[in-house]
């Protein structure tokens, strides 16, 4: 039985980097990947969707060309084959880069196949059993499919199969009004599809504050997306070439008929087919591998990183997991998951950049806090660019003046949020930002201006 110092299962955002660090430290490693090197982010998540967002933005801006005094001289068309080809051309080098870097890494053996635990420190792949002193699980997550009547008989789409689309769906119906559903929804609306978003809850992106949800719903509706909230899908069925989605809303039954159905109601960890019971690795009720603050599982010598541990659902949280495990094992640096501050973005246009707590979360703590908001209409850079949708909001601790959280929905919100995030990591008072000279004209220059308007959170 081949024996390794370390086995890494899955090549998501943490596994490959960790394998490289371990090998550099003189360890003999095996890496196992069952499908695409680079995992979700590279192949069916961040990278491809952001290339689609870029194409959709180009189409949107081209249609608005006249607003800028630019003439196009005809209707704006979208060539979906070219859109997909561009997406593929961005994805392929990333995927190949991860694959090549692992396969050429001296001290690392790559196995291509499905890994399954067959004992505490034993993993089987392609009929071979491997043993290791340490095992690192980075198996990620996949689209969760709800038990809706009729769904199993339909050719529904997920974030993965959406990657193969090289045509314009005439009417895309999306189940789920959260981050993934809204990104795809706006993209396809801008490509020219009719889009209906069906959300079970009373509002879109329900983890965000109500004002943020409302503003996002407003700009999506303004672009022609049909948004249905408080809507429970009770049945789906094929009607000729169409798909009929039966909805119950407020006790009334209605139907949306579309050409394609995208299921985007959430994610589930890829842990159900991993033989975790053979190793005695504990999971929670939803299948997420239970880990401590340094990402150790219930079995000594086995760690879980990335989406499969339920401690994050982003590329940067998975990467941060790698940093935490590598720091603890190789650098004698006791980094912890609880050291990190919530941060993520929603890549609609305009995007939402988030850091720390929402206003609702701050209210729940009962802490005395201050709040300031600013409409993007008042930000000169946004005005100059003709992109004034959205608003910014920031909350600070009244007593120690540290920033508690921010939601920046607007032009460059996904970038500007980092000037707030870094001050939060520094645990510095917000007044530091008021003494920093920011560059004009930028969105960031208005963060200190907004801070000048802080008022008690009532
Ligand atoms: C549509 C979409 C858009 C997204 N956009 C963003 C974004 O903009 N920003 C962001 O931060 N995050 C985004 N995410 C989330 C992000 O993609 C993930 O959080 C990120 O990829 C981290 O994943 P991971 O490292 O946990 O594993 P993954 O990247 O999911 O990789 C896991 C790997 O393990 C392999 N594997 C699974 N089981 C086995 C097994 N038994 N044996 C061998 N190999 C196995 C899989 O094939 C896969 O390659 C998006 C996700 C989706 C779906």
């Amino acid at each position: 039985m081949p024996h390794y110092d370390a086995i890494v299962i899955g090549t998501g955002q943490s596994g490959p980097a960790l394998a490289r660090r371990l090998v550099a430290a003189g360890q003999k490693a095996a890496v196992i990947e069952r499908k695409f090197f680079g995992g979700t982010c590279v192949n069916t998540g961040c990278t491809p969707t952001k290339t689609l967002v870029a194409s959709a933005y180009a189409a949107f801006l081209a249609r608005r060309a006249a607003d800028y005094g630019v003439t196009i001289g005809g209707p704006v068309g979208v060539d979906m084959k070219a859109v997909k080809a561009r997406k593929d051309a961005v994805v392929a080098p990333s995927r190949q880069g991860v694959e090549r870097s692992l396969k050429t890494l001296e001290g690392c053996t790559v196995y291509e196949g499905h890994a399954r635990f067959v004992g505490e420190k034993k993993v089987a792949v392609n009929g071979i059993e491997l043993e290791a002193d340490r095992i690192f699980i980075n198996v990620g997550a996949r689209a969760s499919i709800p038990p809706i009547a009729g769904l199993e008989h339909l050719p529904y789409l997920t974030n993965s199969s959406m990657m193969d689309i090289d045509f314009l769906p005439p009417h895309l119906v999306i189940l789920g009004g959260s981050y993934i559903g809204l990104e795809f929804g706006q993209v396809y609306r801008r490509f020219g599809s009719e889009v209906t978003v069906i959300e079970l809850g009373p509002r879109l992106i329900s983890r965000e504050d109500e004002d943020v949800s409302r503003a996002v719903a407003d700009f999506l509706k303004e672009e022609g997306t049909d948004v249905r909230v408080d809507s429970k899908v009770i049945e789906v069925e094929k009607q000729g070439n169409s798909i009929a989605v039966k909805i119950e809303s407020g006790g009334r039954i209605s139907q949306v008929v579309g050409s394609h159905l995208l299921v985007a109601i959430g994610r589930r960890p890829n842990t159900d087919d991993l033989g975790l019971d053979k190793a005695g690795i504990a999971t929670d009720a939803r299948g997420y591998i239970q880990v401590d603050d340094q990402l150790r599982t219930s079995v000594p010598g086995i760690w879980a990183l990335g989406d499969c541990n339920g401690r994050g659902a982003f590329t940067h949280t998975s990467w941060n997991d790698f940093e935490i495990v590598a720091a603890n094992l190789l650098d004698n640096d006791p980094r912890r998951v609880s050291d990190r501050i919530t941060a993520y973005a929603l890549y609609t246009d305009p995007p939402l950049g988030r850091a720390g707590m929402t206003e609702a979360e701050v209210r729940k703590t009962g802490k005395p806090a201050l709040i300031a908001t600013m409409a993007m209409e008042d930000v000169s850079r946004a005005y100059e660019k003709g992109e004034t949708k959205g608003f910014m909001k920031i909350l600070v601790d009244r007593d120690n003046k540290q920033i508690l959280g921010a939601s920046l929905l607007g032009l460059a919100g996904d970038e500007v949020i980092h000037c707030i995030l870094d001050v939060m990591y520094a645990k510095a008072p917000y007044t530091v930002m008021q003494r920093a000279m920011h560059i004009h004209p930028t969105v960031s220059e208005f963060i200190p201006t907004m801070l000048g308007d802080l008022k008690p959170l009532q």
Side-chain angles (χ1 to χ4, degrees):
M1 183 184 296
H3 183 96
Y4 294 92
D5 297 313
I7 294 175
V8 175
I9 307 176
T11 64
Q13 286 304 303
S14 23
L18 189 59
R20 282 191 280 272
R21 279 295 314 270
L22 292 169
V23 166
Q27 300 191 18
K28 197 176 135 202
V31 173
I32 311 172
E33 173 52 56
R34 72 176 177 191
K35 203 167 180 200
F36 298 136
F37 286 82
T40 309
C41 175
V42 168
N43 297 287
T44 60
C46 334
T47 304
T49 55
K50 268 78 252 181
T51 68
L52 297 177
V53 166
S55 291
Y57 178 70
F60 180 70
L61 208 57
R63 285 189 202 105
R64 292 186 57 208
D67 295 352
Y68 298 88
V70 175
T71 47
I72 296 235
V76 174
V78 178
D79 175 348
M80 290 301 292
K81 286 203 176 356
V83 166
K84 178 175 179 293
R86 177 179 182 275
K87 184 267 292 175
D88 291 342
V90 174
V91 167
S94 299
R95 178 194 303 169
Q96 289 154 6
V98 177
E99 180 170 356
R100 200 179 317 114
S101 73
L102 289 171
K103 287 185 173 170
T104 56
L105 187 62
E106 218 171 300
C108 174
T109 308
V110 174
Y111 293 87
E112 290 184 68
H114 181 94
R116 200 182 295 272
F117 281 91
V118 289
E120 196 174 289
K121 294 287 176 61
K122 283 187 200 146
V123 172
V125 54
N126 302 336
I128 309 167
E129 288 192 6
L130 319 175
E131 208 174 26
D133 302 331
R134 288 167 171 168
I135 298 180
F136 303 92
I137 307 170
N138 177 217
V139 292
R142 62 184 186 272
S144 173
I145 306 302
I148 293 172
L151 193 59
E152 70 274 23
H153 307 303
L154 285 180
Y156 61 82
L157 295 156
T158 65
N159 68 289
S160 299
S161 46
M162 284 298 284
M163 297 302 130
D164 302 327
I165 286 192
D166 65 355
F167 57 89
L168 188 70
H171 183 170
L172 182 63
V173 180
I174 301 176
L175 304 192
S178 203
Y179 308 89
I180 293 173
L182 297 189
E183 287 182 19
F184 276 118
Q186 188 183 42
V187 160
Y188 275 85
R189 180 69 197 129
R190 288 180 167 191
F191 287 159
S193 298
E194 290 297 315
V195 173
T196 304
V197 174
I198 302 172
E199 167 57 41
L200 178 66
R203 58 193 176 86
L204 299 179
I205 40 170
S206 55
R207 253 180 253 134
E208 306 303 332
D209 287 328
E210 280 183 37
D211 48 2
V212 173
S213 285
R214 206 177 316 120
V216 170
D218 284 351
F219 67 66
L220 293 177
K221 285 183 200 164
E222 220 174 275
E223 289 183 26
T225 298
D226 181 7
V227 175
R228 313 272 184 107
V229 292
D230 268 327
S231 298
K232 184 178 164 79
V233 175
I234 46 179
E235 194 181 356
V236 290
E237 63 172 10
K238 198 121 180 71
Q239 281 184 3
N241 285 333
S242 303
I243 292 172
V245 181
K246 202 185 274 182
I247 302 168
E248 192 215 306
S249 183
R252 288 176 45 195
I253 308 286
S254 63
Q255 189 170 269
V256 175
V257 180
S259 59
H260 294 79
L261 181 68
L262 166 62
V263 179
I265 57 128
R267 312 278 297 162
R268 61 175 291 193
N270 291 325
T271 54
D272 46 338
D273 51 4
L274 201 51
L276 292 177
D277 52 322
K278 297 284 188 307
I281 299 168
T283 60
D284 69 12
R286 295 189 302 153
Y288 288 100
I289 299 172
Q290 290 183 332
V291 289
D292 67 11
D293 210 14
Q294 287 166 323
L295 302 166
R296 291 175 289 226
T297 69
S298 56
V299 177
I302 303 183
W303 288 255
L305 303 88
D307 290 9
C308 68
N309 66 25
R311 304 291 291 269
F314 299 99
T315 284
H316 45 278
T317 48
S318 182
W319 178 261
N320 189 242
D321 284 358
F322 145 66
E323 293 179 323
I324 290 167
V325 172
N328 276 281
L329 289 181
L330 303 169
D331 303 333
N332 197 24
D333 177 358
R335 289 180 66 173
R336 291 169 186 279
V337 178
S338 52
D339 292 338
R340 70 187 178 210
I341 296 169
T342 300
Y344 57 89
L346 161 71
Y347 288 93
T348 47
D349 171 39
L352 169 69
R354 281 270 302 107
M357 287 189 267
T358 60
E359 180 183 336
E361 286 166 345
V362 172
R363 284 183 188 283
K364 245 187 238 160
T365 66
K367 270 186 203 195
L370 307 175
I371 184 169
T373 59
M374 175 173 269
M376 291 305 289
E377 279 173 351
D378 297 331
V379 174
S380 49
R381 186 70 196 279
Y383 198 61
E384 287 147 11
K385 290 195 83 168
E387 301 191 23
T388 53
K389 285 182 189 140
F391 68 98
M392 304 190 285
K393 167 158 68 173
I394 193 160
L395 291 119
V396 306
D397 187 304
R398 188 196 63 190
D399 298 333
N400 67 14
K401 294 188 168 50
Q402 287 182 15
I403 298 169
L404 297 170
S407 301
L408 308 185
L409 177 67
L411 175 67
D414 55 326
E415 296 288 349
V416 178
I417 196 73
H418 290 90
C419 71
I420 292 172
L421 193 58
D422 291 341
V423 172
M424 291 176 78
Y425 272 105
K427 294 190 182 354
Y430 74 84
T431 46
V432 166
M433 294 185 85
Q434 290 182 305
R435 286 170 172 262
M437 183 184 72
H438 283 192
I439 296 165
H440 174 77
T442 59
V443 177
S444 304
E445 71 176 322
F446 279 86
I447 302 294
T449 313
M450 175 167 64
L451 286 166
D453 206 25
L454 283 166
K455 302 208 167 42
L457 180 68
Q458 302 293 348

